[in-house]
Amino acid sequence: MLKLERINAAYKDLQVLWDVSIEVNEGELVTLVGPNGAGKTTTLKVISGLLKPTSGSISFQGRSLRKESAHKIVELGISQVPEGGKIFTGMSVLENLELGAFVARARQDKDRTLKWVYEIFPRLEERKNQRAGTLSGGERQMLAIGRALMSKPKLLLLDEPSFGLAPILVDQIFDMITEINRQGVTVLLVEQNVRAALELAHRAYVIENGRIVGQGAGEDLLSFESVRRAYLG
Amino acid sequence: MHVMLVQSLVFGILVGALYGLAAVGLSLVFGVTKLLNVAHGELLMFGGYATFWIFTLYGVDPFLALPVTMIFLILIGVIVYGLLFARMVKLSEETKIQNTLLVGFGLSLILQNLALRLWTADDRGVTTAYSGWAFTLLGVRFPIVRVASLGIALAALGALHLFLQKTYTGKAIRATAEDWEAASLMGIDIHRIYLLAFVLGTAMAGIAGALVSVGYSIEPNMGLEWTLIALIVMVLGGLGSIMGTFVGGIVLGVTQALTSCFIGGTYREVVGLLIFLLVLIFRPQGLFGAKER
Ligand SMILES: Nc1ncnc2c1ncn2[C@@H]1O[C@H](COP(=O)(O)OP(=O)(O)O)[C@@H](O)[C@H]1O
Ligand SMILES: [Mg+2]
C-alpha cells in the first residue's frame, strides 16, 4: 500500500535520512521504532508531504507521492497525527474534528464519521463544546487521533502518541489504536515506547541515525539482541 | 465644557470605528500569513480613490458603490499577493521579516506615486448632497455620513466575524493562523488560505478607505499614517479577536480626540505611539487578547 524506496531526506544541508526503505501493506499495523533523533518524525514528514525527499521514490497505492503537496496527500487517504498532537488549541473540540474532515471526500460523510469517532473516544463527545486548549494531555492525544480519523484515512500515521502520558493512558491509547486498525485502517506507528509498540504491531522497523537497521515481525524483534540491549534493558 | 467632552467622545468613536476596520484587515493578514504588510495604508487609500472615482466619473453614491470598491480592492489584492507576497510566505523566518518589509515599503512608494499621477496631490473627498447633514442630540452633533460609516464598519466586521466562526473556509483560515503545518495535515491548501486572507484584508482596507473618503478626505501621502494607526490598533486589540481589534480602534480614536480637545491637536499622533509602547511593554498580548496561546 505504502512503499518508500531508498529515501534520502535533509533539512537544508543536514542530511537526516539515508536510503530508508519501508513498506506497509493494506490492513497492517506497522511500527517504526528508534531512539530520539533517529529520523522517525522526518520519515513521517516525507510520507505526508511536509518534507520533500532529496532522492528515492515513494508511492501510495501505486501512485507516486514525490510531487504531491501535503494537502493532496490527505485527499489521497493518508492522515498524520503529528508529534505532540498539534491540536488547534484556540478552537473547540468539535471544530477540531470538523477540520479533520476538511477534504471533500471526507466532508460528505462528516456526520457519520463523527459518530464513529465518538464511539471510539466517548470523552471527545462529552467535551465537544470545550476549547481544545483546556483538555488534559490524554484527551489532547485522543482529539489528535480522532481529528485524523475524521478524514477517513486509508493509512494512519501516528507520531509518538504515547509521549508524555501516564502508563494507564498509554495502555488505553494503544488499545484504541489496535481497535482502529481492526476496523480496517492501516497504521504506521512511530514510537519510542519500544516494548509496547512491538507487542502491538504486526511488523516493525528499527531506525538509528537515519538508517533502517532492523526489521521483522514484532515479536521477533522483541528478542532481537541489539533491540533488547538498546531499548528493553 | 461638558458638551465639548461628549462631542470629542462621539467624534473619537466615529473615527475609531474606521481605525478598527483598517486594523482588522492588517491583523487578519498578519495573523494568517505572518506577513506584516506595511503598504496596508496605501491599499486603504486606493479604496478611497476608487470610491472618489466612481462618484466623480459616474455619479454613483459612495455607499452604493461599496461592492464595486470592494471588488476593485480584491483584484488589487490578488495581483499584489500573487506578484509579491506569495513568494514571501515561503521564506524562512529571518529572511521573511526583512524581505516583507522591503517589498512592502517599495509597494507603498509605487502606490503613492501612482495615486499622485492619477489624482494629483490635492486633498480629495466625496461630497454628496447629504454630506453636510447632521442631527443634534443634547447639543452634540452627529454627522450623518460618519454615523452611517460606523454602521457599515460594524456590519463589515460582523460579517467577517461570522464568516470566520461559522463557515468551513473560515475555520480553515483560523486553523492556518494557529498552526499552518497542522492545517496542511488536515488537507487544507494553505497557499490558497493565505491568498484568501490577504484578499479579505485588502477588501476590509477598501471599505475603510471608502468610508474615509466620504467622512473625511484622502490624499496620496495618507498611507503611512493609516498603516501606523492599523499597527497600533492591532497591537492594542491583540491578535485574533475581531471585536478586540474594533474596540482597540475605538480606544485609539477616543484617546486622540480627547488629546486634541484638552492638550492640543499636535499631540494626537504622539499619544497613539505612546499607547502603542505602553501596551507593548505592559500587555504584549493586547488589551483584550488572551494571555496563553
Ligand atoms: N526542522 C529541522 N531542522 C533541522 N534539523 C532537524 C529538524 N527536525 C529534525 N531535525 C534533525 O533531524 C534529525 C532527526 O530528527 P527527527 O526525525 O525529529 O527524529 P525522531 O523523530 O526520531 O526523534 C535530528 O538530528 C534532528 O535534530
Ligand atoms: Mg520525533
Short mmCIF file of all heavy atoms in Angstrom, two decimals, chain A residues 12 45 48 50 70-71 74-75 79-80 82 86-92 95-103 107 110 131 133 147, chain B residues 92 94 164-166 168-176 178-193 290 292-293:
data_model
loop_
_atom_site.label_atom_id
_atom_site.label_comp_id
_atom_site.label_asym_id
_atom_site.label_seq_id
_atom_site.Cartn_x
_atom_site.Cartn_y
_atom_site.Cartn_z
N LYS A 12 17.68 21.58 4.95
CA LYS A 12 18.73 22.40 4.34
C LYS A 12 19.91 21.51 3.95
O LYS A 12 19.74 20.63 3.13
CB LYS A 12 19.18 23.52 5.29
CG LYS A 12 18.05 24.45 5.72
CD LYS A 12 18.31 25.89 5.28
CE LYS A 12 17.10 26.77 5.53
NZ LYS A 12 16.83 26.97 6.96
N LYS A 45 7.18 12.90 7.99
CA LYS A 45 7.02 14.16 7.24
C LYS A 45 7.20 13.93 5.74
O LYS A 45 6.54 14.57 4.93
CB LYS A 45 8.03 15.21 7.72
CG LYS A 45 7.63 15.87 9.01
CD LYS A 45 8.54 17.04 9.33
CE LYS A 45 8.06 17.78 10.55
NZ LYS A 45 8.96 18.87 10.92
N SER A 48 3.93 12.33 4.53
CA SER A 48 2.76 13.22 4.46
C SER A 48 3.03 14.46 3.62
O SER A 48 2.17 15.33 3.51
CB SER A 48 2.29 13.61 5.86
OG SER A 48 3.34 14.19 6.57
N LEU A 50 5.17 16.96 4.01
CA LEU A 50 5.64 18.19 4.64
C LEU A 50 7.11 18.44 4.31
O LEU A 50 7.59 19.56 4.37
CB LEU A 50 5.45 18.14 6.16
CG LEU A 50 4.01 18.20 6.65
CD1 LEU A 50 3.96 18.02 8.16
CD2 LEU A 50 3.35 19.51 6.24
N ALA A 70 1.18 18.42 0.48
CA ALA A 70 0.67 17.80 1.70
C ALA A 70 -0.86 17.68 1.69
O ALA A 70 -1.40 16.65 2.07
CB ALA A 70 1.14 18.61 2.92
N HIS A 71 -1.53 18.74 1.24
CA HIS A 71 -3.00 18.67 1.31
C HIS A 71 -3.56 17.65 0.33
O HIS A 71 -4.56 17.00 0.60
CB HIS A 71 -3.61 20.06 1.09
CG HIS A 71 -3.36 20.66 -0.26
ND1 HIS A 71 -4.24 20.50 -1.29
CD2 HIS A 71 -2.34 21.39 -0.73
CE1 HIS A 71 -3.77 21.13 -2.35
NE2 HIS A 71 -2.61 21.69 -2.04
N VAL A 74 -3.42 14.12 1.83
CA VAL A 74 -4.54 13.85 2.73
C VAL A 74 -5.75 13.40 1.92
O VAL A 74 -6.44 12.44 2.26
CB VAL A 74 -4.91 15.10 3.57
CG1 VAL A 74 -6.05 14.77 4.53
CG2 VAL A 74 -3.71 15.60 4.34
N GLU A 75 -5.97 14.10 0.83
CA GLU A 75 -7.08 13.77 -0.06
C GLU A 75 -6.95 12.32 -0.57
O GLU A 75 -7.94 11.61 -0.71
CB GLU A 75 -7.09 14.76 -1.23
CG GLU A 75 -8.20 14.59 -2.24
CD GLU A 75 -9.46 15.36 -1.85
OE1 GLU A 75 -9.35 16.51 -1.37
OE2 GLU A 75 -10.54 14.78 -2.02
N SER A 79 -3.37 10.15 6.54
CA SER A 79 -3.57 11.18 7.55
C SER A 79 -2.55 11.02 8.65
O SER A 79 -2.29 9.91 9.11
CB SER A 79 -4.99 11.07 8.12
OG SER A 79 -5.28 12.18 8.89
N GLN A 80 -1.96 12.12 9.06
CA GLN A 80 -0.91 12.05 10.07
C GLN A 80 -1.33 12.69 11.38
O GLN A 80 -1.87 13.80 11.39
CB GLN A 80 0.35 12.76 9.55
CG GLN A 80 1.53 12.57 10.50
CD GLN A 80 2.73 13.42 10.14
OE1 GLN A 80 2.85 13.90 9.03
NE2 GLN A 80 3.62 13.61 11.09
N PRO A 82 0.44 14.38 14.11
CA PRO A 82 1.82 14.84 14.29
C PRO A 82 2.30 14.69 15.74
O PRO A 82 1.49 14.48 16.65
CB PRO A 82 1.77 16.31 13.88
CG PRO A 82 0.35 16.72 14.03
CD PRO A 82 -0.48 15.48 13.86
N LYS A 86 -0.53 18.52 18.07
CA LYS A 86 -0.77 19.75 17.33
C LYS A 86 -2.25 20.03 17.10
O LYS A 86 -2.68 20.34 15.98
CB LYS A 86 -0.05 19.72 15.98
CG LYS A 86 1.44 19.95 16.11
CD LYS A 86 2.03 20.21 14.73
CE LYS A 86 3.46 20.67 14.80
NZ LYS A 86 3.76 21.79 13.95
N ILE A 87 -3.03 19.89 18.15
CA ILE A 87 -4.45 20.25 18.01
C ILE A 87 -4.56 21.77 17.96
O ILE A 87 -3.63 22.47 18.36
CB ILE A 87 -5.28 19.70 19.19
CG1 ILE A 87 -4.68 20.16 20.52
CG2 ILE A 87 -5.35 18.18 19.13
CD1 ILE A 87 -5.55 19.87 21.70
N PHE A 88 -5.69 22.26 17.46
CA PHE A 88 -5.90 23.71 17.39
C PHE A 88 -6.47 24.15 18.73
O PHE A 88 -7.67 24.05 18.98
CB PHE A 88 -6.83 24.05 16.24
CG PHE A 88 -6.31 23.58 14.91
CD1 PHE A 88 -6.95 22.58 14.21
CD2 PHE A 88 -5.15 24.13 14.38
CE1 PHE A 88 -6.45 22.13 13.00
CE2 PHE A 88 -4.64 23.69 13.16
CZ PHE A 88 -5.29 22.69 12.47
N THR A 89 -5.59 24.63 19.60
CA THR A 89 -5.99 24.87 20.99
C THR A 89 -6.99 26.01 21.13
O THR A 89 -7.75 26.04 22.08
CB THR A 89 -4.76 25.19 21.87
OG1 THR A 89 -4.03 26.25 21.23
CG2 THR A 89 -3.87 23.99 22.04
N GLY A 90 -6.98 26.93 20.18
CA GLY A 90 -7.90 28.06 20.27
C GLY A 90 -9.30 27.73 19.79
O GLY A 90 -10.20 28.57 19.89
N MET A 91 -9.50 26.53 19.27
CA MET A 91 -10.81 26.19 18.73
C MET A 91 -11.45 25.09 19.57
O MET A 91 -10.78 24.43 20.36
CB MET A 91 -10.64 25.75 17.27
CG MET A 91 -9.92 26.82 16.44
SD MET A 91 -9.50 26.33 14.78
CE MET A 91 -11.04 26.57 13.97
N SER A 92 -12.75 24.90 19.37
CA SER A 92 -13.44 23.90 20.18
C SER A 92 -13.07 22.50 19.71
O SER A 92 -12.53 22.31 18.62
CB SER A 92 -14.95 24.10 20.09
OG SER A 92 -15.42 23.65 18.85
N GLU A 95 -14.86 21.76 16.55
CA GLU A 95 -14.25 22.44 15.39
C GLU A 95 -12.99 21.71 14.93
O GLU A 95 -12.73 21.58 13.73
CB GLU A 95 -13.91 23.89 15.72
CG GLU A 95 -15.13 24.80 15.70
CD GLU A 95 -14.81 26.24 16.11
OE1 GLU A 95 -13.95 26.44 17.00
OE2 GLU A 95 -15.40 27.16 15.55
N ASN A 96 -12.20 21.24 15.89
CA ASN A 96 -11.02 20.46 15.54
C ASN A 96 -11.42 19.24 14.71
O ASN A 96 -10.80 18.94 13.69
CB ASN A 96 -10.29 20.00 16.80
CG ASN A 96 -9.23 20.98 17.26
OD1 ASN A 96 -8.09 20.92 16.84
ND2 ASN A 96 -9.63 21.91 18.11
N LEU A 97 -12.46 18.55 15.17
CA LEU A 97 -12.89 17.35 14.46
C LEU A 97 -13.43 17.70 13.08
O LEU A 97 -13.17 17.00 12.10
CB LEU A 97 -13.94 16.61 15.29
CG LEU A 97 -13.41 16.01 16.61
CD1 LEU A 97 -14.53 15.46 17.46
CD2 LEU A 97 -12.38 14.92 16.32
N GLU A 98 -14.17 18.79 13.00
CA GLU A 98 -14.70 19.22 11.70
C GLU A 98 -13.56 19.50 10.73
O GLU A 98 -13.64 19.15 9.55
CB GLU A 98 -15.55 20.48 11.85
CG GLU A 98 -16.92 20.22 12.43
CD GLU A 98 -17.67 21.52 12.73
OE1 GLU A 98 -17.04 22.57 12.86
OE2 GLU A 98 -18.90 21.46 12.83
N LEU A 99 -12.51 20.13 11.24
CA LEU A 99 -11.37 20.43 10.36
C LEU A 99 -10.71 19.15 9.87
O LEU A 99 -10.18 19.12 8.76
CB LEU A 99 -10.36 21.31 11.09
CG LEU A 99 -10.78 22.78 11.14
CD1 LEU A 99 -9.99 23.53 12.19
CD2 LEU A 99 -10.59 23.43 9.78
N GLY A 100 -10.78 18.11 10.69
CA GLY A 100 -10.24 16.84 10.25
C GLY A 100 -10.93 16.33 9.00
O GLY A 100 -10.33 15.65 8.17
N ALA A 101 -12.21 16.68 8.87
CA ALA A 101 -12.98 16.23 7.69
C ALA A 101 -12.98 17.29 6.60
O ALA A 101 -13.94 17.41 5.85
CB ALA A 101 -14.40 15.90 8.12
N PHE A 102 -11.91 18.07 6.52
CA PHE A 102 -11.89 19.18 5.56
C PHE A 102 -11.93 18.74 4.10
O PHE A 102 -12.60 19.34 3.28
CB PHE A 102 -10.65 20.06 5.79
CG PHE A 102 -10.64 21.30 4.96
CD1 PHE A 102 -11.33 22.43 5.35
CD2 PHE A 102 -9.93 21.33 3.75
CE1 PHE A 102 -11.34 23.56 4.57
CE2 PHE A 102 -9.94 22.48 2.96
CZ PHE A 102 -10.65 23.59 3.38
N VAL A 103 -11.22 17.66 3.78
CA VAL A 103 -11.16 17.27 2.37
C VAL A 103 -12.53 16.83 1.87
O VAL A 103 -13.32 16.25 2.61
CB VAL A 103 -10.12 16.14 2.12
CG1 VAL A 103 -8.73 16.63 2.42
CG2 VAL A 103 -10.45 14.91 2.92
N ARG A 107 -15.77 15.20 3.78
CA ARG A 107 -16.75 16.15 4.25
C ARG A 107 -18.19 15.66 4.07
O ARG A 107 -19.05 15.89 4.91
CB ARG A 107 -16.56 17.50 3.55
CG ARG A 107 -16.98 18.66 4.43
CD ARG A 107 -16.83 19.99 3.74
NE ARG A 107 -15.46 20.36 3.47
CZ ARG A 107 -15.11 21.55 2.99
NH1 ARG A 107 -16.05 22.46 2.76
NH2 ARG A 107 -13.86 21.84 2.74
N LYS A 110 -19.21 13.52 6.93
CA LYS A 110 -18.75 14.05 8.19
C LYS A 110 -19.56 13.56 9.39
O LYS A 110 -19.00 13.10 10.38
CB LYS A 110 -18.81 15.59 8.13
CG LYS A 110 -18.11 16.26 9.28
CD LYS A 110 -18.24 17.77 9.18
CE LYS A 110 -19.65 18.19 9.50
NZ LYS A 110 -19.86 19.63 9.52
N ARG A 131 -13.11 24.38 24.68
CA ARG A 131 -11.95 24.80 23.90
C ARG A 131 -10.88 23.72 24.02
O ARG A 131 -10.60 23.24 25.12
CB ARG A 131 -11.44 26.14 24.42
CG ARG A 131 -10.78 27.04 23.38
CD ARG A 131 -10.62 28.46 23.92
NE ARG A 131 -9.87 28.44 25.19
CZ ARG A 131 -8.54 28.37 25.26
NH1 ARG A 131 -7.81 28.34 24.17
NH2 ARG A 131 -7.94 28.35 26.43
N GLY A 133 -7.81 23.78 23.99
CA GLY A 133 -6.70 24.14 24.86
C GLY A 133 -6.92 23.76 26.32
O GLY A 133 -5.97 23.70 27.10
N ARG A 147 -9.27 13.54 15.22
CA ARG A 147 -9.26 14.52 14.13
C ARG A 147 -8.69 13.89 12.86
O ARG A 147 -9.21 14.10 11.76
CB ARG A 147 -8.40 15.72 14.57
CG ARG A 147 -8.42 16.89 13.63
CD ARG A 147 -7.52 18.01 14.14
NE ARG A 147 -6.12 17.60 14.18
CZ ARG A 147 -5.12 18.39 14.51
NH1 ARG A 147 -5.35 19.64 14.85
NH2 ARG A 147 -3.87 17.94 14.53
N SER B 92 12.10 31.52 4.96
CA SER B 92 12.30 31.14 6.35
C SER B 92 12.14 32.36 7.24
O SER B 92 12.27 33.50 6.78
CB SER B 92 13.69 30.54 6.53
OG SER B 92 14.66 31.52 6.24
N GLU B 94 13.73 34.32 9.31
CA GLU B 94 14.58 35.51 9.38
C GLU B 94 14.46 36.37 8.11
O GLU B 94 14.24 37.57 8.17
CB GLU B 94 16.06 35.15 9.59
CG GLU B 94 16.31 34.07 10.62
CD GLU B 94 16.39 32.69 9.99
OE1 GLU B 94 17.31 32.45 9.21
OE2 GLU B 94 15.52 31.85 10.28
N LEU B 164 -15.63 33.84 9.67
CA LEU B 164 -14.51 33.12 10.28
C LEU B 164 -14.98 32.08 11.29
O LEU B 164 -14.36 31.02 11.44
CB LEU B 164 -13.56 34.10 10.97
CG LEU B 164 -12.76 35.02 10.04
CD1 LEU B 164 -11.92 36.00 10.85
CD2 LEU B 164 -11.86 34.21 9.11
N GLN B 165 -16.09 32.37 11.98
CA GLN B 165 -16.54 31.45 13.02
C GLN B 165 -17.38 30.30 12.48
O GLN B 165 -17.30 29.18 12.96
CB GLN B 165 -17.35 32.19 14.09
CG GLN B 165 -16.56 33.21 14.89
CD GLN B 165 -15.45 32.56 15.70
OE1 GLN B 165 -15.57 31.46 16.22
NE2 GLN B 165 -14.30 33.24 15.79
N LYS B 166 -18.21 30.60 11.49
CA LYS B 166 -19.24 29.63 11.12
C LYS B 166 -18.95 28.80 9.88
O LYS B 166 -19.46 27.70 9.76
CB LYS B 166 -20.59 30.35 10.92
CG LYS B 166 -21.08 31.11 12.15
CD LYS B 166 -21.50 30.18 13.27
CE LYS B 166 -21.90 30.94 14.52
NZ LYS B 166 -21.64 30.20 15.75
N TYR B 168 -16.84 26.65 6.89
CA TYR B 168 -15.71 25.72 6.82
C TYR B 168 -14.45 26.46 6.43
O TYR B 168 -13.37 26.27 7.00
CB TYR B 168 -16.02 24.62 5.80
CG TYR B 168 -15.89 23.24 6.39
CD1 TYR B 168 -16.99 22.39 6.53
CD2 TYR B 168 -14.65 22.79 6.84
CE1 TYR B 168 -16.86 21.13 7.09
CE2 TYR B 168 -14.51 21.53 7.39
CZ TYR B 168 -15.62 20.71 7.51
OH TYR B 168 -15.48 19.47 8.05
N THR B 169 -14.59 27.32 5.41
CA THR B 169 -13.42 28.07 4.95
C THR B 169 -12.89 28.98 6.07
O THR B 169 -11.69 29.11 6.27
CB THR B 169 -13.79 28.91 3.72
OG1 THR B 169 -14.47 28.07 2.79
CG2 THR B 169 -12.55 29.48 3.06
N GLY B 170 -13.82 29.61 6.79
CA GLY B 170 -13.42 30.47 7.89
C GLY B 170 -12.64 29.70 8.95
O GLY B 170 -11.62 30.18 9.47
N LYS B 171 -13.12 28.49 9.25
CA LYS B 171 -12.41 27.67 10.24
C LYS B 171 -11.03 27.28 9.72
O LYS B 171 -10.07 27.21 10.48
CB LYS B 171 -13.24 26.42 10.56
CG LYS B 171 -14.46 26.77 11.42
CD LYS B 171 -15.39 25.60 11.61
CE LYS B 171 -16.68 26.12 12.23
NZ LYS B 171 -17.67 25.10 12.46
N ALA B 172 -10.96 27.02 8.41
CA ALA B 172 -9.66 26.68 7.83
C ALA B 172 -8.70 27.86 7.94
O ALA B 172 -7.50 27.69 8.19
CB ALA B 172 -9.82 26.27 6.37
N ILE B 173 -9.23 29.08 7.81
CA ILE B 173 -8.39 30.26 7.97
C ILE B 173 -7.86 30.34 9.39
O ILE B 173 -6.67 30.56 9.63
CB ILE B 173 -9.18 31.55 7.61
CG1 ILE B 173 -9.48 31.58 6.11
CG2 ILE B 173 -8.40 32.80 8.03
CD1 ILE B 173 -10.31 32.78 5.68
N ARG B 174 -8.76 30.13 10.36
CA ARG B 174 -8.32 30.20 11.77
C ARG B 174 -7.32 29.10 12.09
O ARG B 174 -6.35 29.31 12.81
CB ARG B 174 -9.53 30.10 12.69
CG ARG B 174 -10.30 31.43 12.77
CD ARG B 174 -11.75 31.20 13.17
NE ARG B 174 -11.87 30.53 14.44
CZ ARG B 174 -12.86 29.68 14.76
NH1 ARG B 174 -13.78 29.40 13.88
NH2 ARG B 174 -12.90 29.13 15.95
N ALA B 175 -7.57 27.91 11.53
CA ALA B 175 -6.64 26.81 11.78
C ALA B 175 -5.26 27.12 11.21
O ALA B 175 -4.24 26.89 11.86
CB ALA B 175 -7.19 25.52 11.17
N THR B 176 -5.24 27.68 10.01
CA THR B 176 -3.97 28.01 9.38
C THR B 176 -3.23 29.07 10.19
O THR B 176 -2.02 29.04 10.34
CB THR B 176 -4.19 28.51 7.94
OG1 THR B 176 -4.98 27.53 7.25
CG2 THR B 176 -2.88 28.69 7.20
N GLU B 178 -3.40 29.45 13.34
CA GLU B 178 -2.88 28.86 14.57
C GLU B 178 -1.66 27.99 14.31
O GLU B 178 -0.68 28.03 15.05
CB GLU B 178 -3.98 28.04 15.25
CG GLU B 178 -3.92 28.14 16.75
CD GLU B 178 -4.98 27.31 17.45
OE1 GLU B 178 -6.15 27.74 17.49
OE2 GLU B 178 -4.64 26.24 17.95
N ASP B 179 -1.69 27.17 13.27
CA ASP B 179 -0.61 26.24 13.01
C ASP B 179 -0.68 25.77 11.55
O ASP B 179 -1.47 24.88 11.23
CB ASP B 179 -0.74 25.05 13.97
CG ASP B 179 0.44 24.08 13.88
OD1 ASP B 179 1.10 24.03 12.82
OD2 ASP B 179 0.70 23.39 14.88
N TRP B 180 0.12 26.37 10.70
CA TRP B 180 -0.02 26.06 9.27
C TRP B 180 0.32 24.61 8.95
O TRP B 180 -0.26 24.01 8.05
CB TRP B 180 0.84 27.00 8.42
CG TRP B 180 2.31 26.84 8.61
CD1 TRP B 180 3.10 27.53 9.49
CD2 TRP B 180 3.18 25.92 7.95
NE1 TRP B 180 4.39 27.11 9.41
CE2 TRP B 180 4.48 26.11 8.47
CE3 TRP B 180 2.99 24.95 6.96
CZ2 TRP B 180 5.58 25.37 8.05
CZ3 TRP B 180 4.09 24.21 6.54
CH2 TRP B 180 5.37 24.43 7.09
N GLU B 181 1.26 24.04 9.74
CA GLU B 181 1.66 22.67 9.44
C GLU B 181 0.51 21.71 9.76
O GLU B 181 0.16 20.85 8.95
CB GLU B 181 2.91 22.31 10.25
CG GLU B 181 3.81 21.37 9.51
CD GLU B 181 5.17 21.24 10.19
OE1 GLU B 181 5.22 20.97 11.41
OE2 GLU B 181 6.18 21.44 9.51
N ALA B 182 -0.08 21.90 10.93
CA ALA B 182 -1.23 21.07 11.29
C ALA B 182 -2.36 21.29 10.30
O ALA B 182 -3.06 20.36 9.92
CB ALA B 182 -1.68 21.39 12.71
N ALA B 183 -2.55 22.53 9.86
CA ALA B 183 -3.62 22.83 8.91
C ALA B 183 -3.40 22.07 7.60
O ALA B 183 -4.33 21.50 7.04
CB ALA B 183 -3.70 24.33 8.66
N SER B 184 -2.16 22.03 7.13
CA SER B 184 -1.96 21.33 5.86
C SER B 184 -2.14 19.83 6.05
O SER B 184 -2.51 19.13 5.11
CB SER B 184 -0.62 21.68 5.21
OG SER B 184 0.44 21.31 6.04
N LEU B 185 -1.93 19.33 7.28
CA LEU B 185 -2.20 17.92 7.54
C LEU B 185 -3.70 17.62 7.58
O LEU B 185 -4.12 16.47 7.57
CB LEU B 185 -1.55 17.47 8.86
CG LEU B 185 -0.02 17.38 8.86
CD1 LEU B 185 0.49 17.00 10.23
CD2 LEU B 185 0.46 16.39 7.81
N MET B 186 -4.52 18.67 7.64
CA MET B 186 -5.97 18.49 7.56
C MET B 186 -6.43 18.44 6.10
O MET B 186 -7.61 18.30 5.82
CB MET B 186 -6.72 19.64 8.24
CG MET B 186 -6.43 19.85 9.72
SD MET B 186 -6.85 18.42 10.70
CE MET B 186 -5.24 17.75 11.03
N GLY B 187 -5.48 18.63 5.19
CA GLY B 187 -5.86 18.67 3.77
C GLY B 187 -6.19 20.07 3.30
O GLY B 187 -6.75 20.26 2.24
N ILE B 188 -5.83 21.07 4.13
CA ILE B 188 -6.09 22.45 3.75
C ILE B 188 -4.94 22.95 2.86
O ILE B 188 -3.77 22.78 3.21
CB ILE B 188 -6.20 23.33 5.01
CG1 ILE B 188 -7.43 22.92 5.83
CG2 ILE B 188 -6.26 24.81 4.65
CD1 ILE B 188 -7.46 23.50 7.23
N ASP B 189 -5.30 23.52 1.73
CA ASP B 189 -4.28 24.10 0.85
C ASP B 189 -3.92 25.47 1.42
O ASP B 189 -4.60 26.47 1.18
CB ASP B 189 -4.86 24.23 -0.56
CG ASP B 189 -3.85 24.79 -1.55
OD1 ASP B 189 -2.78 25.26 -1.10
OD2 ASP B 189 -4.14 24.76 -2.75
N ILE B 190 -2.85 25.52 2.20
CA ILE B 190 -2.59 26.74 2.95
C ILE B 190 -2.26 27.93 2.05
O ILE B 190 -2.52 29.07 2.41
CB ILE B 190 -1.48 26.55 4.01
CG1 ILE B 190 -0.21 26.03 3.36
CG2 ILE B 190 -1.93 25.62 5.12
CD1 ILE B 190 0.98 26.15 4.29
N HIS B 191 -1.73 27.67 0.86
CA HIS B 191 -1.42 28.81 0.00
C HIS B 191 -2.68 29.49 -0.51
O HIS B 191 -2.70 30.70 -0.72
CB HIS B 191 -0.47 28.40 -1.12
CG HIS B 191 0.90 28.06 -0.58
ND1 HIS B 191 1.74 29.04 -0.09
CD2 HIS B 191 1.51 26.89 -0.36
CE1 HIS B 191 2.84 28.46 0.36
NE2 HIS B 191 2.71 27.15 0.22
N ARG B 192 -3.71 28.70 -0.68
CA ARG B 192 -4.99 29.31 -1.06
C ARG B 192 -5.58 30.09 0.11
O ARG B 192 -6.18 31.15 -0.08
CB ARG B 192 -5.97 28.24 -1.51
CG ARG B 192 -5.87 28.00 -3.00
CD ARG B 192 -6.68 26.85 -3.47
NE ARG B 192 -8.11 27.02 -3.24
CZ ARG B 192 -9.00 26.08 -3.57
NH1 ARG B 192 -8.59 24.96 -4.11
NH2 ARG B 192 -10.27 26.28 -3.35
N ILE B 193 -5.38 29.56 1.31
CA ILE B 193 -5.86 30.26 2.50
C ILE B 193 -5.12 31.59 2.67
O ILE B 193 -5.71 32.61 3.01
CB ILE B 193 -5.68 29.37 3.76
CG1 ILE B 193 -6.56 28.12 3.66
CG2 ILE B 193 -5.97 30.15 5.04
CD1 ILE B 193 -8.04 28.38 3.74
N ALA B 290 -6.02 37.07 24.89
CA ALA B 290 -5.81 36.11 25.97
C ALA B 290 -4.32 35.95 26.19
O ALA B 290 -3.53 36.12 25.27
CB ALA B 290 -6.44 34.77 25.61
N GLU B 292 -2.40 33.15 27.40
CA GLU B 292 -1.75 31.96 26.85
C GLU B 292 -2.14 31.78 25.39
O GLU B 292 -3.10 32.35 24.92
CB GLU B 292 -2.07 30.70 27.68
CG GLU B 292 -3.53 30.37 27.83
CD GLU B 292 -4.00 29.23 26.93
OE1 GLU B 292 -3.41 28.17 26.99
OE2 GLU B 292 -4.96 29.45 26.20
N ARG B 293 -1.34 31.01 24.73
CA ARG B 293 -1.55 30.89 23.28
C ARG B 293 -1.86 29.46 22.96
O ARG B 293 -1.17 28.57 23.40
CB ARG B 293 -0.24 31.34 22.62
CG ARG B 293 -0.13 31.07 21.17
CD ARG B 293 -0.62 32.15 20.27
NE ARG B 293 -0.42 31.67 18.91
CZ ARG B 293 -1.39 31.22 18.15
NH1 ARG B 293 -2.59 31.26 18.57
NH2 ARG B 293 -1.15 30.77 16.95
#
